[in-house]
Amino acid sequence: MRDHGQILHDGISAGLGGALLAMDAGIRAAREQAAWDRAEARSEAAVHRLGQALLASRAREAELARQLAAARAEIAGLRIRATKAEARIAPARRA
């Protein structure tokens, strides 16, 4: 009887040990999957932030290009006015 009890005990222990190992492996796999999911979510958020920053940068670049064009137009206008003013001053000096 004692041998039969020991065999039964060993079988139950082995079964429970296997079940615990399987549960541990399942828990580890779930944790690893959760870690991968969090990493993927963080990377997607980072890509989104970079995209938003790129759009903002392009908008700022376009605004600066508009300001530069306006400044160049103003400079051209000032040069034309200066040339006209110089043309009027020259005859006045001769007189």
Side-chain angles (χ1 to χ4, degrees), residues 11-52:
I12 292 172
S13 293
L16 288 175
L20 287 175
L21 285 175
M23 283 178 37
D24 183 57
I27 291 169
R28 286 178 191 238
R31 285 181 182 161
E32 184 177 333
Q33 184 60 48
W36 279 108
D37 291 345
R38 286 191 303 274
E40 185 176 352
R42 285 193 302 266
S43 68
E44 287 177 3
V47 168
H48 178 72
R49 284 191 306 273
L50 286 172
Q52 293 299 313

Side-chain angles (χ1 to χ4, degrees), residues 61-81:
E61 181 183 11
E63 175 59 28
L64 290 173
R66 282 190 290 277
Q67 290 177 5
L68 180 60
R72 286 180 174 162
E74 184 179 354
I75 289 169
L78 291 172
R79 283 184 180 154
I80 291 170
R81 285 185 12 196

